[in-house]
Amino acid sequence: MKDSFFQQSLWNTAFRPFFWFGSIYGVFVIGLWLLVLSNTISNPIEINSIHWHSYEMVFGFSKAIVLGFLFTAVQNWTNSTILKGKNLFFLLLFWALGRFSMYPLGFPAYLSFGLDISSDLMVIYLLIPKLMVPTQKHNRPIVFHYALFTIFHLLSGLSARSVLQPERTLLFVHLSIFVILFLILIIGGRVVPFFSGVVIPGYSFKRIPKLESAILYLPFVFYFFKLIQGFLAPNVFTNIDITNFNLVIGILIASFLISFSLFVTNSIRFLSWKPWKSYKKPILWILYMGYFWVCLGFLFYSLAELGYFPISSAIHSLTVGGIGVFIYGMITRVSLGHTGRSIVASRLTVFAYFIFNFAVMVRVFFPLMGEYKYAYHLSGTIWILTFLIFLLQYTKILFSPRPDGKPS
């Protein structure tokens, strides 16, 4: 490939190609999932369709978007260039080729899976020299989280393909979901108050160091207990009798307490940021809404640990709500701010903000009323619409140079 290809604006920073291709893939995956659910087409995937849907939304869609703003954030934190040009192209290529790993393609599917894992290893290779240094001590957990994400990714793929026990697929996929969430909490904790200070006159908040430490390190305790729970008590999320105490009950109670602690700590942090002050700035309050869904999702998940809330609704509060809404807020803001444009959401984007949150409510609460069909199809259709709106408005921005001529 000619060097001029890699000098195009698309390859200047990671957010440009990963936001665009990630959004395209988010539309494709949910569209295909709705067609399979409605029996419009037969399942074209070699594995369990629910496993495939979960796998691709985590390691396909979410991973792409998170890599986009993770590398952008780390470059800002370290004031250095980490990923651009050829290296960025090949990381994106490995991710894209990895999307065929669950199709009935024989050896090429395994090769695809290998490339997908290789893209994770490339990420770790790029992050270690920048974050595992004395000046970035507070950001080191990002490397640890991503290393765990890579391990869970490997175990998820091997389980889905029955190399390991296939019934453990969702355990490892769900653990990977939480890695994505915890990365969002780290990045969100850095950028949301900063964004608020930039656009809200007189904004200030008090950072609570002990609270920040708890949010930073509690996730590793969570991983530990979820792994134990997954192997000792795989049939979880049913009402438990605490009067008949045993090791399994103890693990479930511990998991509940950790999940509830995540709800409490993140809710305190959320309120300390004074989210109500963002109501005049849609491009800011959408980030607060994403964080709100994370907090509510941890509450629902902790109740699900004891069997008092449906696990599917709890998970989708964290994924469609926490991950989805926060991601949408980030891609619409970062794509403007880091390309030298005015950071103001258009009316169409604000419309997308509202319907996205409505989609979360539909997916989380309609199943509680027995309306599963509407929950799946209405929320999925809105998801597709919101990302089509993003692509319609932001494609030219992501592919074009900055108007001010600066590198981006």
Side-chain angles (χ1 to χ4, degrees):
M1 256 178 229
K2 294 182 179 180
D3 289 340
S4 59
F5 173 79
F6 299 112
Q7 293 171 0
Q8 295 178 20
S9 298
L10 184 66
W11 310 112
N12 282 346
T13 46
F15 75 85
R16 288 175 178 266
F18 276 113
F19 285 2
W20 195 80
F21 283 98
S23 296
I24 289 283
Y25 195 66
V27 170
F28 167 76
V29 169
I30 293 299
L32 183 59
W33 174 237
L34 293 181
L35 292 175
V36 171
L37 275 181
S38 61
N39 293 317
T40 303
I41 63 172
S42 58
N43 180 17
I45 315 301
E46 193 169 31
I47 65 171
N48 179 294
S49 60
I50 294 176
H51 291 177
W52 172 82
H53 165 67
S54 305
Y55 182 93
E56 289 302 327
M57 288 306 294
V58 175
F59 304 112
F61 166 76
S62 298
K63 172 182 167 180
I65 305 294
V66 167
L67 288 182
F69 59 72
L70 176 60
F71 278 109
T72 302
V74 173
Q75 288 186 171
N76 287 339
W77 297 339
T78 60
N79 194 28
S80 62
T81 299
I82 303 174
L83 186 63
K84 65 180 299 184
K86 289 183 180 179
N87 288 340
L88 175 55
F89 170 80
F90 282 109
L91 179 60
L92 179 76
L93 180 64
F94 279 25
W95 166 82
L97 293 176
R99 309 281 50 85
F100 301 96
S101 58
M102 298 301 157
Y103 288 85
L105 302 173
F107 174 75
Y110 287 96
L111 178 60
S112 171
F113 181 60
L115 291 172
D116 209 12
I117 296 297
S118 296
S119 70
D120 287 331
L121 296 175
M122 189 184 302
V123 171
I124 296 172
Y125 173 79
L126 292 168
L127 290 178
I128 285 177
K130 300 297 181 180
L131 297 184
M132 300 302 289
V133 294
T135 56
Q136 293 294 322
K137 185 177 180 180
H138 59 295
N139 286 323
R140 287 179 187 174
I142 291 175
V143 179
F144 303 147
H145 281 298
Y146 206 90
L148 287 171
F149 181 80
T150 304
I151 294 170
F152 296 148
H153 186 181
L154 177 64
L155 295 173
S156 297
L158 294 177
S159 299
R161 284 200 152 274
S162 299
V163 176
L164 301 177
Q165 292 179 314
E167 61 269 21
R168 301 216 187 273
T169 302
L170 287 183
L171 166 65
F172 298 126
V173 171
H174 285 179
L175 282 167
S176 303
I177 289 171
F178 283 103
V179 176
I180 295 288
L181 277 166
F182 295 138
L183 287 172
I184 284 176
L185 294 181
I186 292 173
I187 296 171
R190 306 278 198 276
V191 303
V192 174
F194 171 74
F195 292 162
S196 300
V198 170
V199 301
I200 301 176
Y203 177 83
S204 65
F205 82 103
K206 185 178 180 181
R207 188 176 295 274
I208 308 170
K210 290 185 178 179
L211 179 70
E212 294 299 320
S213 295
I215 292 172
L216 199 58
Y217 294 106
L218 190 58
F220 296 102
V221 182
F222 176 88
Y223 296 142
F224 176 74
F225 275 95
K226 292 308 294 182
L227 279 169
I228 295 177
Q229 178 183 333
F231 282 92
L232 293 184
N235 299 315
V236 295
F237 310 117
T238 56
N239 294 71
I240 64 172
D241 180 9
I242 60 175
T243 61
N244 186 24
F245 190 84
N246 55 38
L247 177 61
V248 171
I249 298 298
I251 293 296
L252 292 176
I253 292 174
S255 293
F256 159 76
L257 291 173
I258 295 166
S259 300
F260 191 75
S261 296
L262 287 166
F263 159 67
V264 172
T265 52
N266 282 286
S267 296
I268 293 172
R269 180 201 237 185
F270 175 71
L271 293 174
S272 75
W273 288 344
K274 305 173 185 176
W276 53 89
K277 291 193 173 185
S278 68
Y279 75 98
K280 291 183 179 180
K281 304 290 183 180
I283 208 161
L284 181 58
W285 63 245
I286 187 64
L287 297 176
Y288 282 109
M289 282 304 303
Y291 209 100
F292 167 78
W293 284 114
V294 172
C295 296
L296 194 61
F298 279 132
L299 174 61
F300 291 158
Y301 191 82
S302 64
L303 294 175
E305 297 273 22
L306 302 181
Y308 296 117
F309 196 85
I311 183 59
S312 178
S313 287
I315 287 290
H316 283 86
S317 177
L318 292 166
T319 52
V320 183
I323 295 175
V325 172
F326 193 88
I327 274 178
Y328 202 79
M330 284 294 287
I331 64 177
T332 53
R333 190 197 190 285
V334 170
S335 297
L336 295 175
H338 284 269
T339 59
R341 290 167 172 84
S342 177
I343 308 174
V344 178
S346 70
R347 289 183 180 180
L348 190 56
T349 297
V350 175
F351 170 73
Y353 291 164
F354 278 107
I355 64 171
F356 205 138
N357 281 280
F358 176 67
V360 181
M361 291 187 282
V362 168
R363 183 59 187 86
V364 173
F365 296 115
F366 272 35
L368 304 184
M369 299 178 284
E371 299 291 348
Y372 295 96
K373 182 178 179 180
Y374 288 112
Y376 303 150
H377 292 278
L378 181 55
S379 62
T381 301
I382 296 173
W383 173 284
I384 291 171
L385 177 59
T386 56
F387 279 97
L388 287 176
I389 288 173
F390 172 78
L391 290 165
L392 173 67
Q393 296 192 103
Y394 285 84
T395 293
K396 184 177 179 180
I397 292 172
L398 293 173
F399 279 75
S400 302
R402 287 176 60 119
D404 56 14
K406 294 180 180 179
S408 169

